[in-house]
């Protein structure tokens, strides 16, 4: 399958993608993860993106569109299908996908009210060794994962999440409007397993 997963910051996109990847064997393409890796490795892409990401702003469309275009053309995506997480985030990005002839079988939008997202951001921890996403309260790491190893993202502050939320709300309707015929709205406030069951049902119905 070819699936786009969208939603506000900390709405659970990455968490659901971990489960979806396992279920469908598709390639998980998270533009946030790709950009964070580029910043960490000090690549030219990372240098270009860092300031925007640190402020919680979107990186310019031209920068991110090129990256996604290249990844989607790679052989593994062609063979296994893909899961786009965090892209497209603007109408220009959606139009760029369309002009490449890329059409998803489902556009899944995770709905979570803003008030809940701040708590998710503040409690989120990721494990750089495995890439897994945890939450100190809702999805605590297992005992064998030492807490010192876990990372709290630098854009996961109450202040920056407000900037990220504004960017999301500014563009969300225009992007979702490009995928009206394959739009699946999911209640993202339920437990992660329940959210997953709903998404899985919608994807299986769309295949
Ligand atoms: P990106 O990495 O995409 O960040 P984001 O959209 O803000 O989304 P997050 O990764 O914060 O959240 P998520 O929805 O994946 O939630 P998660 O599953 O981790 O982008 C980062 C930055 O990169 C952007 O600000 C921008 O600068 C740049 N960028 C990226 N893509 C771009 C693009 N296309 N164009 C321009 N710029 C771009 O879950 C969050 C927490 O909640 C976790 O702790 C988790 O354990 C917990 N949780 C998950 N599900 C549940 C549940 N059901 N119940 C309770 N807790 C839950
Ligand atoms: Zn994410």
């Amino acid at each position: 399958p070819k699936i786009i997963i969208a939603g506000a910051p900390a709405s659970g996109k990455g968490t659901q993608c971990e489960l979806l990847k396992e279920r469908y064997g598709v390639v998980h393409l998270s533009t946030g993860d790709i950009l964070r890796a580029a910043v960490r490795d000090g690549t030219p892409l990372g240098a270009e993106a860092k300031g925007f990401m640190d402020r919680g702003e979107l990186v310019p469309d031209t920068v991110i569109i090129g990256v996604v275009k290249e990844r989607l053309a790679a052989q593994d995506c062609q063979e296994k299908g893909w899961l786009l997480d965090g892209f497209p985030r603007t109408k220009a990005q959606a139009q760029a996908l369309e002009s490449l002839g890329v059409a998803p079988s489902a556009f899944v939008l995770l709905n979570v009210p803003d008030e809940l997202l701040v708590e998710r951001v503040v409690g989120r921890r990721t494990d750089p060794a495995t890439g897994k996403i945890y939450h100190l309260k809702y999805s605590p790491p297992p005992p064998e994962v030492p807490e010192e190893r876990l990372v709290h993202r630098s854009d996961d502050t109450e202040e920056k999440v407000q900037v990220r939320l504004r960017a999301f709300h500014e563009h969300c309707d225009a992007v979702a409007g490009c995928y009206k015929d394959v739009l699946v709205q999911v209640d993202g406030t339920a437990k992660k397993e329940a959210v997953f069951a709903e998404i899985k049902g919608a994807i299986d119905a769309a295949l």
Side-chain angles (χ1 to χ4, degrees):
K2 300 170 182 171
I3 305 152
I4 295 175
I5 183 143
S11 56
K13 301 183 293 296
T15 299
Q16 293 303 320
C17 284
E18 281 182 4
L19 301 168
L20 289 164
K21 198 172 103 180
E22 216 170 282
R23 170 73 173 76
Y24 295 100
V26 288
V27 178
H28 176 205
L29 283 182
S30 157
T31 45
D33 287 351
I34 292 169
L35 291 169
R36 278 184 289 279
V39 170
R40 187 195 58 220
D41 298 343
T43 70
L45 170 66
E48 217 169 347
K50 187 175 190 304
F52 296 100
M53 296 178 79
D54 282 345
R55 292 188 295 273
E57 297 167 4
L58 296 180
V59 308
D61 287 330
T62 46
V63 172
I64 194 71
I65 286 169
V67 173
V68 171
K69 194 173 159 179
E70 196 186 308
R71 297 285 177 118
L72 283 179
Q75 199 179 359
D76 57 341
C77 279
Q78 297 290 326
E79 282 169 2
K80 298 176 186 160
W82 42 260
L83 200 50
L84 261 182
D85 162 2
F87 186 98
R89 253 177 158 90
T90 63
K91 195 170 178 187
Q93 293 177 15
Q95 286 167 339
L97 271 190
E98 203 193 340
S99 72
L100 291 172
V102 172
S105 38
F107 180 97
V108 177
L109 180 59
L110 291 175
N111 291 314
V112 180
D114 288 5
E115 310 84 80
L116 291 183
L117 297 171
V118 176
E119 199 195 358
R120 286 197 186 181
V121 152
V122 174
R124 168 167 44 193
R125 297 293 182 274
T126 49
D127 183 348
T130 60
K132 284 205 180 304
I133 304 165
Y134 298 107
H135 189 283
L136 296 179
K137 184 164 152 198
Y138 302 120
S139 193
E144 66 272 19
V145 175
E147 210 175 310
E148 317 79 73
R149 188 167 90 197
L150 300 179
V151 174
H152 191 209
R153 265 166 56 179
S154 60
D155 61 348
D156 273 353
T157 65
E158 265 193 77
E159 190 196 357
K160 285 180 194 168
V161 80
Q162 299 304 336
V163 181
R164 289 159 62 199
L165 276 170
R166 275 202 295 279
F168 170 74
H169 288 299
E170 188 186 332
H171 296 284
C172 178
D173 290 349
V175 174
C178 298
Y179 298 99
K180 276 195 218 87
D181 46 338
V182 289
L183 179 62
V184 177
Q185 304 234 30
V186 173
D187 174 10
T189 64
K191 285 212 161 64
K192 75 175 185 186
E193 295 79 10
V195 176
F196 177 59
E198 203 177 328
I199 297 176
K200 194 156 53 85
I203 290 175
D204 289 341
L207 288 182

